[in-house]
Structure formats: structure tokens, C-alpha cells
Amino acid sequence: MKATWSGTLQMGLVALPVRLYAATQEHSVRLHEIPVADGSRVEHRRYCKAEDREISYEEVGKGFALADGSTVPLTEDDLAHLPLPTKRVAQVLGFVDGRDIDPLSYGRPYYAGPGGPGADRPYVLLVEALARTGYVAVAKLALRSRERLALLRPHNGVLVVQTLLWQDELRDPGDLAPSVPVTDRELNLAEVLIREMTGIDGGEVHDEYAHALEELVDAKVTGGAC
């Protein structure tokens, strides 16, 4: 696997070099946009409204939008020189009980591997200590052009770094929860249903939509019935 980030995991006076690798690979169904008249491809071009012309990728920069609608241009050099200590250092803020982290805040998971032969022993020690205590580490690091919170937890002998959403990125559900009273008898029946349906084999669950779409495309290619 190709590392997506390499740096140092900093825990007080302890520094552990690590590399991050994508832990998941989604198999999304991608459909192209086409004109219905001829079935060719639709192209999305970069267009400058002020100059009334199409521009190349090399002419495209980045800018920060202000509240009044104006934009402040930012160069790659501006962004590279931001005083961001977490760019190559994942700073551990502390350890908490893993059950105290709301899964609603979970982001993308990464496998973290030791960054060199000398890191093997402290890496194993950290993974085993987290597994034994049931605690997880909360850290800050800069990943994919932004600083993020992250959760460090053990998984089958490997350290997993799970990005977390910031608190202000979690939306309030408002009044979605109905205020309807339920009886003990209803709760007991619901618990019986849950116990009867306990357990699931993830290997037996498949993407039926993707399978049906593949069959539809094959049928159209071969001229069969759709």
C-alpha cells in the first residue's frame, strides 16, 4: 500500500514515527453524464466569467471567500508557509474511554504502520496498551489540506487512525425525536425482536444495486431484454 501521510506521533516526550495508509476502498457506481440525443460525453470546462473565456488548469488558483462576496487570492506558497505544527506531527491531546466517543463524529479510517525498524517496539507497546486498557487516544494532525481531530485505536494488532469531525460540524437533530410514550410491554416485545435478530454475517451482504446495474448494462450491450 502507498502511504498517504508520514510523520511523527507525539505523546508528551515520546515520539513515534508512523505512516498512514487508507483502510477502506469504496466501490461506488459511477455513471457518466451524456446528452440524451447522441449518448456522447458531457464535458465540464473551466470558465472565467470576467474574461468570458475558457481557461486551462494551470491558470486556476485558490481563494478564500469573504462574507461580502469578495475573494482573497491565496498562492501555494501562502498555504505551504502556514504555521501548522500538525503538518508532520500528530499531537496526542490525551486518552479517553473509547465508549465516550460518539460514532456520529467518525470520519475516514486509516491504518497506521511504524515509520521505521526502530519504531516497531514502541508501536507494538502502544497498540497492546490501548487494547488492554480500553482507552483510545485523541490527536490533532493535518491531513488532506486541513487540520483534523483523530481517534487512535487498536484493531487486530494494528493501530487505526480514525478522523473525527469537529464539534461544530455535527448538526443538531432539532425536534426529530417524537415525544410518544411507550409501555413496558411494548419495550419487552421490542427487546425480544432485537434478541431474535441478533448477529449478522457481513460477508453474506452484497451491493444488490451494483449487481443489478451490471446485469442491465450487459443486457444492453448484448442486445438482450432489459
Side-chain angles (χ1 to χ4, degrees), residues 69-151:
S70 61
T71 303
V72 178
L74 297 172
T75 67
E76 293 298 331
D77 190 58
D78 291 332
L79 299 175
H81 286 84
L82 284 175
L84 196 61
T86 55
K87 189 173 183 178
R88 286 294 171 213
V89 177
Q91 184 68 49
V92 173
L93 305 177
F95 297 88
V96 299
D97 191 317
R99 294 170 296 183
D100 293 339
I101 303 295
D102 188 347
L104 190 65
S105 63
Y106 282 2
R108 186 184 297 271
Y110 295 86
Y111 291 129
D120 288 357
R121 183 173 293 277
Y123 176 91
V124 173
L125 180 61
L126 174 61
V127 173
E128 292 295 332
L130 290 175
R132 180 177 295 188
T133 61
Y135 277 74
V136 297
V138 177
K140 279 204 312 181
L141 76 161
L143 191 64
R144 296 187 180 275
S145 302
R146 58 172 295 192
E147 191 172 58
R148 303 171 186 269
L149 278 178
L151 178 75

Side-chain angles (χ1 to χ4, degrees), residues 154-208:
H155 176 72
N156 295 333
V158 176
L159 185 65
V160 170
V161 175
Q162 186 111 29
T163 61
L164 298 173
L165 297 174
W166 298 97
Q167 284 298 308
D168 60 2
E169 293 179 315
L170 301 178
R171 300 178 65 181
D172 191 321
D175 58 355
L176 288 179
S179 57
V180 178
V182 295
T183 65
D184 288 340
R185 181 175 181 276
E186 290 172 323
L187 282 173
N188 290 335
L189 290 174
E191 291 174 1
V192 169
L193 175 62
I194 291 172
R195 285 192 290 268
E196 289 181 349
M197 297 183 65
T198 298
I200 182 172
D201 184 358
E204 296 298 321
V205 183
H206 304 286
D207 186 348
E208 300 292 345

Side-chain angles (χ1 to χ4, degrees), residues 45-48 54-63 74 76:
R45 301 179 183 272
R46 299 174 182 87
Y47 178 78
C48 176
E54 185 179 330
I55 61 176
S56 66
Y57 180 79
E58 289 72 20
E59 296 178 89
V60 178
K62 297 178 180 178
L74 297 172
E76 293 298 331

Side-chain angles (χ1 to χ4, degrees), residues 4-53:
T4 60
W5 185 91
S6 62
T8 303
L9 181 62
Q10 189 75 41
M11 297 170 289
L13 299 177
V14 179
L16 172 62
V18 293
R19 298 188 181 97
L20 300 190
Y21 307 85
T24 58
Q25 180 179 352
E26 295 188 17
H27 302 288
S28 58
V29 177
R30 297 187 62 185
L31 298 177
H32 297 299
E33 293 180 333
I34 63 171
V36 294
D38 56 25
S40 61
R41 291 287 297 274
V42 172
E43 294 186 8
H44 294 271
R45 301 179 183 272
R46 299 174 182 87
Y47 178 78
C48 176
K49 183 185 295 186
E51 299 182 11
D52 190 24
R53 68 179 181 91

